Amino acid sequence: MFLPLVLIFSSSPFSLGQAPLPLAVNTWPFKSASAAAWSVLRSGGSVLDAVEKGCSRCEQEQCDGSVGFGGSPDESGETTLDAMIMNGNTMEVGAVADLRRIKNAIGVARAVMERTEHTMLVGESASVFAENMGFVAEDLTTNTSLNIFSQWLKGNCQPNYRKNVSPDSSKSCGPYRPEAGLTQKRARPVNIHSHDTIGLIALDGNGHVAAGTSTNGLNHKVPGRVGDSPIIGAGAYADSSAGAAAATGDGDIMMRFLPSYLAVELMRAGADPSAACKSAISRIKRHYSDFFGAIICANITGHYGAACNKAPSLAEFHYMVSNPQSDTPTLKSVDCF
Ligand SMILES: *[C@@H]1O[C@H](CO)[C@@H](O)[C@H](O)[C@H]1NC(C)=O
Ligand SMILES: *[C@@H]1O[C@H](CO)[C@@H](O)[C@H](O)[C@H]1NC(C)=O
């Protein structure tokens, strides 16, 4: 009999490389998102439902103004949404980008996964798809987003993400035209307040892993800009034979390195989740030493970790963990390096 041996040689029920499961981990101190995911998992619900419920809670509550409607207006004042969900058992993914007029972006992402053979839909056509699938079209603009937009216009459209154009984008609003030469280097106007995407990873007790993201992107982005959140392997990745990861931060930079995919592959090769997270950050750091970003990682035995790049606006990264040990969302933090 093996069971008595286990009991003799271990004092903890979570030994033999097994941590408490199920588990939900999400970026930033978004407590109610963690609670929503946890209430699904603790009642035996699926990891996909946990990811969807957690992310959609943030969309409803407009977590930090950076998820859901009424935040991060683009250069034309419109809020658009990006989201993704990934099933680590089947490797199916649904994603939407530049979604307009629909609040529940993660729900639409899930509909892309479950009601089409595609992986990603974008822009106006994604909104039409969503309406056809029963999602309600409504204006995503609020007084808050209108106010952010009008202040920005009053301030000569600063900050913005244009370069090598005329008139000089560091001083003037557009419309812009390309300038001869590619000489202008601009400091990226990115900080903790301009994007706090929710990324959520969930594991159940049967070895099923899922991950998802939802965001309204970057304040004052160029219309059409898509960040890392809906990009598979960048914003999130899940594989039930290795683990899951989700990233947050300066998506324009981070998506160039597929940090979530990298972290999951490192965990597959045996790396500890914290070490895998750190390696994914280090890879980006080599090229962009002061980029703004963080990543959360969990392996299939329920161990988790996080890492972040030390930057002027980020010294410590906060994230939420729910598992049977606490039975309530617990705030965790990690020092950036
Ligand atoms: C938005 O602003 C308008 C005009 O100032 C006001 O009438 C309206 O009640 C505001 N809406 C909300 C939700 O605060
Ligand atoms: C997950 O990470 C923990 C902590 O490093 C480790 O003990 C465990 O073996 C890992 N699980 C797998 C399946 O690699």
Side-chain angles (χ1 to χ4, degrees):
M1 287 273 293
F2 286 103
L3 191 57
L5 282 177
V6 170
L7 294 175
I8 288 163
F9 290 118
S10 75
S11 52
S12 149
F14 303 124
S15 63
L16 296 179
Q18 183 65 58
L21 286 173
L23 169 72
V25 186
N26 66 264
T27 56
W28 306 111
F30 298 153
K31 189 176 177 184
S32 59
S34 191
W38 181 241
S39 77
V40 172
L41 293 174
R42 77 191 298 269
S43 60
S46 77
V47 285
L48 287 173
D49 287 344
V51 167
E52 183 184 351
K53 290 272 157 42
C55 291
S56 68
R57 178 69 65 88
C58 255
E59 291 169 349
Q60 289 153 19
E61 295 186 357
Q62 302 166 287
C63 285
D64 271 5
S66 67
V67 184
F69 67 103
S72 307
D74 66 16
E75 283 183 348
S76 65
E78 184 175 3
T79 295
T80 60
L81 307 180
D82 297 342
M84 178 227 304
I85 189 164
M86 180 163 192
N87 180 339
N89 269 15
T90 61
M91 306 309 281
E92 290 171 296
V93 179
V96 283
D98 193 21
L99 180 70
R100 311 175 65 189
R101 300 188 308 277
I102 309 285
K103 287 183 176 173
N104 183 203
I106 187 85
V108 181
R110 188 161 181 185
V112 171
M113 179 171 77
E114 293 181 340
R115 309 199 184 278
T116 79
E117 288 290 342
H118 299 312
T119 294
M120 179 183 272
L121 294 180
V122 305
E124 191 60 35
S125 306
S127 309
V128 172
F129 165 79
E131 279 190 77
N132 290 339
M133 290 299 113
F135 293 86
V136 180
E138 45 197 326
D139 193 351
L140 302 188
T141 303
T142 61
N143 283 354
T144 303
S145 66
L146 269 181
N147 190 42
I148 295 169
F149 179 55
S150 62
Q151 291 300 317
W152 179 76
L153 286 177
K154 268 186 219 153
N156 293 321
C157 306
Q158 304 302 313
N160 65 63
Y161 295 88
R162 306 277 183 159
K163 63 180 181 186
N164 299 309
V165 291
S166 75
D168 184 345
S169 57
S170 69
K171 299 188 178 73
S172 312
C173 293
Y176 304 108
R177 292 171 178 282
E179 201 179 45
L182 297 172
T183 51
Q184 192 185 13
K185 277 220 158 64
R186 296 201 56 191
R188 291 180 60 76
V190 165
N191 64 47
I192 194 165
H193 303 296
S194 60
H195 48 90
D196 308 343
T197 308
I198 182 163
L200 199 154
I201 56 194
L203 286 73
D204 66 16
N206 307 314
H208 192 173
V209 177
T213 60
S214 184
T215 185
N216 54 29
L218 217 42
N219 252 333
H220 320 306
K221 62 193 171 192
V222 177
R225 180 266 189 188
V226 172
D228 60 332
S229 300
I231 307 298
I232 299 97
Y237 201 69
D239 182 338
S240 298
S241 65
T248 178
D250 187 348
D252 291 303
I253 299 291
M254 295 177 80
M255 73 159 92
R256 300 169 189 174
F257 299 88
L258 298 180
S260 296
Y261 179 74
L262 176 57
V264 169
E265 289 311 304
L266 292 169
M267 289 188 282
R268 189 196 305 281
D272 165 79
S274 301
C277 271
K278 252 184 138 167
S279 295
I281 294 291
S282 293
R283 181 71 61 86
I284 306 170
K285 220 174 156 81
R286 256 186 249 166
H287 296 267
Y288 300 96
S289 57
D290 60 357
F291 84 99
F292 172 84
I295 184 167
I296 53 173
C297 300
N299 71 14
I300 50 175
T301 43
H303 298 87
Y304 60 84
C308 49
N309 190 37
K310 195 177 222 161
S313 59
L314 195 68
E316 201 180 29
F317 172 65
H318 295 277
Y319 62 106
M320 299 300 308
V321 174
S322 294
N323 67 23
Q325 239 168 7
S326 55
D327 197 32
T328 179
T330 306
L331 182 67
K332 301 276 176 181
S333 77
V334 61
D335 289 331
C336 302
F337 72 102

